[in-house]
Amino acid sequence: MNAAAAVLATCQVVVLVVVSPLLVGLMRQVRARLEGRTGAGIGQPWRDLRKLLAKEPLQADGTSWISVAAPIALLVSSLLVCALMPLLGTVTFTRVPDDLFVVVSVLLLGTIAVALVGLDAGTAFGGMGSSRHMTIAALVEPTVLVSVYALSIPVGSSVLSQIVEARLHDPARIAAPASLLALLALTVAVVAETGRLPVDNPATHLELTMVHEAMVLESSGRDLAWLELGSWLRLGALLGLLSSLLVPWGIATHVSVTALLVATVALIAKLAGVGALLAAVEVSLAKVRLFRVPELLAGSFVLAFLAVTASYLVVQV
Amino acid sequence: MTAVDLGLEAQLLLVGLTTLGALLAPETRRGMTAGVGSVAVAAAGVVTGALALGGGRGFVQIPTSLGFGDVGLGATPLGGFFMVVCGGVGAVASLFAIGYVSATGTRVSWVALPVFLGAMQLVPAATDAVSFLLLWELMALASTVLVLTEHAQRVEVRSAALWYASMTHLSFVLILLGFGVLAASAGSVSFAAMAAVNPGNPSASVAFVLLALGFATKAGVAPLHVWLPRAHPVAPSHVSAIMSAAMVKLGVYGVLLVSLEVLPDGPGWWGLMLLALGAVSAVYGILQASVASDLKRLLAYSTTENVGLMFLAAGTGLLLRSVPVPGPADVALASCLLLVASHAAFKSTLFLGAGSMLHATGERDLDRMGGLGTRMPVTSAAFGIGALGAAALPVTAGFMAEWALLQSLIHGARPEDRVVAVAMPVAVAVVALTAGLALMTFVKAYGIAFLARPRSAGATQAHEGTRSMQVALLVSGAVVLLLGLVPGLVAEAAARAAGVSGVGSGGWFGVDLPGVGATLDPVALSAVAAVIAVPVLWISAVAARRRPRRRVELAWGGGGVRVSPRMQYTATSYAEPLARVFDDALRPERDIEITHASESRYLVERVRFHQHLDDVVEVRAYRPLLALVDRCGLAARRLQNGSIHRYVGYSFLALVAVLVLVAL
């Protein structure tokens, strides 16, 4: 069990590390084409990473060890999330099941690592980004937990793999009203958590509207590379989780070469689909004012709460 | 004589000896004598508590000529758990105090410390209402004396101590009434005899409500929390640590004592009441903490939040027991005790850290700190671990406790019972919201204080404290990590103390919850993380050898050249978006004063911004009440105008009234 899980976790980490930058490249490319630009090609994020890793990092006087350690902490937390989540398969370590609360708390470790990077240099923009980032993170938390709680009710467990496996065996569950409401709420939460439109604009060049970009303004070289790769991995893992919950087909329930290959192809296809769809929707959206974001999140929380209520009603009928 | 007897008597003896030592020792030796003595008192508490938790029994009778029957101290596993928690906090805080108060420590404050510790540790050993109330009052008095330590230096200390004394006596009166009702039904003051009262009786419900409110007042549950944010900032930091990390837990102990041992199997609405109190308190506390900029006020509100979570856990346990859903109910009760242990560990670390920062900078205001990380590495490390614990992140004590609580909540709901089916999702949302806000609060507390550049002269000249302070900080920080890394042992202890099954340890001292089918193994999780970190660190090291890091004088700052540290984000500005989102709940008062240049009103010469956040509950509920009492007092004054004729008239009227009554 554990050996199989170790193989699966390794595969998930490797596949996500390779695919996540390409996913970001694809989303940028889709956006560029829809806006009538040529775009840089889907390999551009990878070229950026290679360039950043080869550059000399600059560190301002007065910054502490946080500026060096936090990018690594973010990357490790993102990789750990990739290893734990049911992306390619549902086989888990016996002692470390992919319990929802554990996964979320590991993600939050990465969240605070970036927030501390923003504060470390003591510049106004960093503090501003960090403050907004944490406000959004604090308000997203209830939606995430309540929506996955709704998904966990029919299964009776908060372990993500078991939820995905149950949906694989009984696809009727996916289309149940409670499940759809919960997935919709979770999508809003994922959009907010990964800093996509309409919550944050990843392509903005205006510091005053930045959230994520404002925090990493001071980082350079490999620090910036780790911060970027870490957040791309989060995007890949969370979109992967969404697609595993929405279309679980193709995911491996045991570890073998063919099963893993099928799962990898399926995951890449799902990620490409979800990513392209998200990018296409983003083109038609404008970033909302920061103080309208709580309204969006409150709406998603209501959906998640309705999902919980609905699942009790459905069980009873 | 059993070992527990010996431990209980040793605590009494050590309190006496330490008090004598503090009274008699010369001024230069006083701190060391009383500090070491207090550590010994606390250590005796830990040992006795551990023995009681292991199943040891004992009874020390208090000789009395009043007709109460057997009055004395004993030990139960539940009491033992709280004795260990109180003793552990007391030991670390006393160690910290040796180096912290050497200059300002008066004889009175050094005498009060061991008395406070002793009384606090023995409250959970009380076997009857009389000794419970005696020790409870002794604890309240000694802590009031300690809150007043710095009354000569600062004016606000007196008003804070007055608030504290009034609220703590309100708590005393409510508990006295509650036990009075129970004793009248049972015909005895001992807890064992009270257990015979049928919890279905109306008198049992009256007693439960009185006792729950009394204990909630002591625990600082909103809306009875008003003393916490006043008393903690003015008390010396080691006293705040003991009060916040240990003393308020005795309120939780009281609730568990009443609902598990004195009146077990009460009706479901008792649990629902505790759950509602806890939920309100958790959200309100963390909301106030997230916008506070006084560090100790922030920590005080965070205590209100955590105690709220403990009440929520206890309430969930009682509610689910009444349905009945035994598995999740057991987990909820055990998680209440896990929250107690973890909060004791991280809150004492945080308060001692705050003390160290106050000692170094003379500042309590986060807006005037900054850059302390490089100047105070030990405090920074300990405070950082404590903050991780308070934000409930892995692998700290706070995380495993909240994880257990969430597990019990999501497995507890049953569609058959409408109340439970609604209460559980609401509770999950409350816990999630508090966890999110706690994250923001403690990123703010740590980031603003320890990172960036100093915002005041005090912060620029900060330095690490004395040796005993550093050791105390490191020990308490290590406990936060240990409890989170190997939570199996404390989970087993909590299960034994609460008398529940379905919670145990497994793997590498991880927590297993067979009752709800969940597992948490922090060591295994850390091992996976470590394996993943190896290639990342390796690539970083290779890149670092090829391209070493270069130090530059100025940060880029979005292209602008930095001028003054005042341009950095402060704690107030950090929490501004949140204060705006929760505007209706927090009601901040903002004053913006704009001075225009004399030439044109379109040119601004100066802008002054002032934001003030009052506690809404205090403004809306307590001030009108106090004003009413004041008005009654003024009205009553008219009776007494100093005229001797009038007083003779009153006596005459009183005499007539008595005669009329007798005649009737």
Side-chain angles (χ1 to χ4, degrees):
Chain A
M1 192 76 168
N2 276 336
V7 171
L8 180 72
T10 317
C11 290
Q12 290 192 160
V13 168
V14 172
V15 169
L16 259 285
V17 167
V18 174
V19 169
S20 294
L22 298 178
L23 171 70
V24 173
L26 175 79
M27 290 172 77
R28 288 185 191 163
Q29 189 68 14
V30 169
R31 187 180 174 89
R33 284 294 160 88
L34 287 176
E35 286 174 346
R37 292 183 284 120
T38 320
I42 65 166
Q44 188 56 35
W46 260 116
R47 291 193 282 273
D48 285 344
L49 272 188
R50 203 183 55 199
K51 176 188 75 184
L52 286 173
L53 277 176
K55 285 183 101 171
E56 176 186 50
L58 299 181
Q59 197 183 354
D61 269 346
T63 52
S64 66
W65 58 275
I66 289 280
S67 290
V68 181
I72 297 180
L74 169 70
L75 183 61
V76 172
S77 89
S78 301
L79 289 171
L80 188 57
V81 167
C82 293
L84 292 179
M85 271 190 181
L87 298 172
L88 289 180
T90 54
V91 182
T92 59
F93 294 105
T94 40
R95 296 299 305 163
V96 195
D98 48 352
D99 189 288
L100 161 77
F101 303 121
V102 175
V103 172
V104 169
S105 63
V106 172
L107 270 177
L108 289 177
L109 270 180
T111 306
I112 65 158
V114 191
L116 290 178
V117 168
L119 281 172
D120 196 29
T123 60
F125 286 127
M128 186 185 72
S130 172
S131 154
R132 293 175 175 179
H133 178 66
M134 289 313 299
T135 307
I136 294 171
L139 298 177
V140 167
E141 180 100 345
T143 306
V144 175
L145 292 198
V146 174
S147 57
V148 183
Y149 171 33
L151 295 173
S152 78
I153 292 169
V155 190
S157 166
S158 61
V159 175
L160 292 170
S161 303
Q162 293 185 15
I163 298 176
V164 171
E165 221 164 274
R167 296 163 85 85
L168 191 61
H169 295 310
D170 184 8
R173 273 186 190 162
I174 299 170
S179 150
L180 291 180
L181 283 171
L183 280 178
L184 192 59
L186 195 60
T187 311
V188 177
V190 167
V191 164
E193 188 72 18
T194 52
R196 309 294 306 183
L197 281 169
V199 176
D200 182 16
N201 184 355
T204 183
H205 295 288
L206 178 63
E207 286 92 342
L208 284 174
T209 63
M210 288 177 175
V211 179
H212 177 80
E213 296 298 318
M215 288 183 287
V216 303
L217 273 178
E218 296 300 327
S219 301
S220 54
R222 57 181 171 275
D223 297 338
L224 184 59
W226 291 154
L227 287 170
E228 293 291 29
L229 183 60
S231 34
W232 295 339
L233 283 169
R234 279 163 81 101
L235 178 70
L238 287 172
L239 290 185
L241 175 69
L242 269 186
S243 52
S244 289
L245 288 170
L246 194 62
V247 269
W249 296 282
I251 205 160
T253 50
H254 64 279
V255 173
S256 69
V257 178
T258 42
L260 282 179
L261 277 178
V262 170
T264 308
V265 173
L267 179 69
I268 291 174
K270 286 182 228 169
L271 277 181
V274 173
L277 187 69
L278 194 59
V281 173
E282 276 184 345
V283 173
S284 60
L285 286 179
K287 181 181 177 305
V288 300
R289 261 189 82 208
L290 183 71
F291 293 105
R292 300 285 302 277
V293 172
E295 294 169 17
L296 183 74
L297 296 177
S300 73
F301 173 73
V302 170
L303 289 180
F305 200 80
L306 278 179
V308 174
T309 324
S311 46
Y312 284 124
L313 291 178
V314 170
V315 169
Q316 201 153 37
V317 166
Chain B
M1 186 186 243
T2 64
V4 173
D5 284 349
L6 199 66
L8 291 171
E9 280 167 13
Q11 289 182 54
L12 291 171
L13 186 70
L14 281 168
V15 170
L17 282 178
T18 312
T19 315
L20 266 184
L23 276 175
L24 300 179
E27 195 167 346
T28 46
R29 289 297 181 82
R30 195 186 292 143
M32 192 50 98
T33 315
V36 172
S38 302
V39 174
V41 171
V46 173
V47 173
T48 317
L51 287 173
L53 203 49
R57 285 282 170 276
F59 185 72
V60 178
Q61 186 157 12
I62 300 174
T64 164
S65 58
L66 303 170
F68 292 129
D70 271 353
V71 169
L73 303 174
T76 57
L78 182 65
F81 188 88
F82 280 87
M83 210 186 278
V84 172
V85 167
C86 291
V89 173
V92 176
S94 307
L95 182 63
F96 184 86
I98 296 174
Y100 182 65
V101 290
S102 53
T104 58
T106 58
R107 184 177 283 146
V108 176
S109 67
W110 275 121
V111 169
L113 182 64
V115 174
F116 177 37
L117 288 180
M120 190 172 69
Q121 284 163 202
L122 290 175
V123 165
T127 56
D128 56 277
V130 174
S131 53
F132 186 95
L133 287 167
L134 272 177
L135 288 163
W136 189 266
E137 183 58 14
L138 186 61
M139 171 177 89
L141 287 179
S143 56
T144 312
V145 171
L146 285 168
V147 169
L148 276 166
T149 305
E150 291 170 9
H151 72 94
Q153 287 92 344
R154 285 182 290 152
V155 191
E156 73 265 28
V157 176
R158 290 172 213 172
S159 125
L162 197 60
W163 274 89
Y164 172 55
S166 328
M167 291 308 285
T168 196
H169 281 92
L170 173 68
S171 146
F172 181 81
V173 168
L174 288 169
I175 297 170
L176 180 67
L177 288 175
F179 278 140
V181 171
L182 278 181
S185 310
S188 162
V189 292
S190 87
F191 293 148
M194 287 179 190
V197 175
N198 178 10
N201 283 347
S203 71
S205 285
V206 170
F208 181 82
V209 171
L210 285 170
L211 287 166
L213 289 180
F215 289 125
T217 311
K218 191 70 175 185
V221 168
L224 300 161
H225 66 283
V226 281
W227 62 272
L228 265 171
R230 285 170 177 269
H232 283 322
V234 301
S237 295
H238 65 286
V239 177
S240 317
I242 303 174
M243 283 171 68
S244 186
M247 188 187 76
V248 300
K249 302 298 161 36
L250 292 180
V252 180
Y253 168 71
V255 166
L256 290 178
L257 172 76
V258 172
S259 50
L260 296 182
E261 291 182 2
V262 176
L263 295 171
D265 308 317
W269 67 265
W270 292 7
L272 201 62
M273 183 181 90
L274 292 181
L275 198 156
L277 264 181
V280 169
S281 177
V283 174
Y284 185 77
I286 197 61
L287 207 53
Q288 289 285 350
S290 63
V291 293
S293 58
D294 179 325
L295 181 57
K296 289 177 96 179
R297 194 176 155 88
L298 181 153
L299 294 177
Y301 275 120
S302 145
T303 298
T304 294
E305 174 230 341
N306 281 287
V307 170
L309 289 179
M310 290 165 210
F311 269 64
L312 191 147
T316 307
L318 296 186
L319 179 64
L320 293 182
R321 268 197 178 176
S322 73
V323 171
V325 194
D330 283 3
V331 175
L333 290 172
S335 78
C336 177
L337 289 178
L338 288 177
L339 284 166
V340 166
S342 77
H343 180 249
F346 68 70
K347 196 45 72 69
S348 49
T349 312
L350 289 171
F351 262 119
L352 297 182
S356 175
M357 285 145 83
L358 183 64
H359 186 262
T361 64
E363 298 285 351
R364 271 192 345 245
D365 192 352
L366 281 171
D367 287 349
R368 295 175 58 78
M369 292 185 189
L372 299 182
T374 46
R375 292 168 180 81
M376 308 171 71
V378 174
T379 309
S380 162
F383 194 91
I385 293 171
L388 279 180
L393 287 175
V395 286
T396 60
F399 171 67
M400 62 90 187
E402 269 190 27
W403 173 83
L405 174 59
L406 281 168
Q407 288 294 347
S408 77
L409 289 175
I410 68 163
H411 289 96
R414 289 293 178 277
E416 307 88 66
D417 192 314
R418 293 287 169 157
V419 177
V420 175
V422 173
M424 292 299 110
V426 173
V428 170
V430 163
V431 175
L433 183 63
T434 52
L437 291 175
L439 201 65
M440 156 122 193
T441 306
F442 286 95
V443 166
K444 178 184 85 175
Y446 182 82
I448 299 288
F450 289 97
L451 305 181
R453 290 179 298 156
R455 296 175 178 83
S456 69
T460 318
Q461 288 149 16
H463 53 87
E464 201 65 85
T466 57
R467 188 70 57 84
S468 89
M469 288 162 67
Q470 295 185 31
V471 172
L473 275 170
L474 287 177
V475 168
S476 55
V479 171
V480 177
L481 270 187
L482 264 184
L483 284 182
L485 207 54
V486 285
L489 296 177
V490 66
E492 274 183 0
R496 196 172 311 136
V500 298
S501 54
V503 178
S505 74
W508 290 308
F509 301 107
V511 185
D512 271 0
L513 307 175
V516 296
T519 300
L520 176 73
D521 198 334
V523 175
L525 183 69
S526 315
V528 177
V531 171
I532 286 176
V534 168
V536 178
L537 290 173
W538 183 70
I539 297 177
S540 296
V542 170
R545 213 174 48 232
R546 274 196 211 141
R547 285 278 178 187
R549 197 171 284 281
R550 184 146 60 97
R551 280 266 169 191
V552 290
E553 202 184 332
L554 280 178
W556 184 63
V561 176
R562 291 188 307 185
V563 239
S564 132
R566 275 179 54 85
M567 287 171 67
Q568 299 176 93
Y569 252 52
T570 60
T572 309
S573 46
Y574 201 83
E576 205 270 344
L578 207 68
R580 234 200 251 200
V581 172
F582 292 100
D583 202 28
D584 289 339
L586 293 168
R587 307 224 162 243
E589 265 175 46
R590 296 200 183 91
D591 291 327
I592 303 175
E593 231 175 76
I594 299 175
T595 319
H596 294 288
S598 51
E599 303 89 74
S600 159
R601 64 188 192 84
Y602 297 109
L603 297 178
V604 173
E605 196 176 9
R606 203 179 55 208
V607 178
R608 213 172 141 268
F609 175 83
H610 180 77
Q611 177 170 300
H612 185 70
L613 273 161
D614 266 329
D615 191 313
V616 183
V617 172
E618 196 184 307
V619 175
R620 294 286 165 89
Y622 283 76
R623 289 205 188 143
L625 192 71
L626 291 179
L628 183 72
V629 172
D630 263 356
R631 272 206 301 283
C632 292
L634 283 178
R637 219 193 235 172
R638 265 185 239 147
L639 290 173
Q640 225 180 355
N641 66 346
S643 146
I644 191 94
H645 301 105
R646 192 181 270 207
Y647 295 163
V648 171
Y650 288 155
S651 320
F652 177 69
L653 281 178
L655 192 63
V656 170
V658 169
L659 287 175
V660 168
L661 266 179
V662 171
L664 289 174

